[in-house]
Amino acid sequence: MLRRLQAPSQKARASLLHELNQDDLLNTINPRKLLHSKWTAVHPVNKEKHFLVTEVEFDEDGSVCHCLLEAVISSRSEPIDWTVLTDANVWHQGWT
């Protein structure tokens, strides 16, 4: 006997997404596309919410060895470990 599977309703999908553990969510990032990418801080400090990656340098192996993040509102720049941007509890891709 064949059973036809139905896609979950939109309400059921929303419920499933709500149940996801936020700690398991990661931003996926291609290091080659980091330059000029936009980021939003989940917990802004000093009204600095929106950021732009202004410098990226690679070593001989093609790994990121330097990444500079600049706050849009203040133009303050600071080096950052680019892998921190994968944590969706800290950063969101784009400006929201």
Side-chain angles (χ1 to χ4, degrees):
M1 179 172 156
L2 293 174
R3 261 183 24 178
R4 181 172 258 196
L5 296 175
Q6 287 184 324
S9 68
Q10 189 169 4
K11 185 177 181 181
R13 265 187 253 125
S15 176
L16 288 172
L17 288 174
H18 187 300
E19 291 176 10
L20 283 175
N21 184 350
Q22 293 296 321
D23 294 333
D24 293 338
L25 297 177
L26 295 176
N27 295 314
T28 55
I29 304 170
N30 179 345
R32 298 273 175 217
K33 296 185 178 184
L34 265 177
L35 187 61
H36 304 298
S37 61
K38 299 173 182 177
W39 296 89
T40 300
V42 173
H43 305 288
V45 176
N46 298 328
K47 297 183 182 180
E48 294 176 337
K49 180 177 180 178
H50 298 116
F51 293 82
L52 187 68
V53 176
T54 56
E55 290 180 18
V56 179
E57 294 177 9
F58 297 91
D59 61 12
E60 305 84 36
D61 301 328
S63 301
V64 176
C65 61
H66 173 74
C67 182
L68 193 66
L69 200 62
E70 181 178 315
V72 174
I73 196 168
S74 65
S75 298
R76 183 182 64 82
S77 296
E78 68 178 60
I80 186 172
D81 175 4
W82 75 276
T83 59
V84 173
L85 297 172
T86 62
D87 188 351
N89 293 318
V90 181
W91 296 101
H92 288 167
Q93 286 181 311
W95 291 343
T96 57

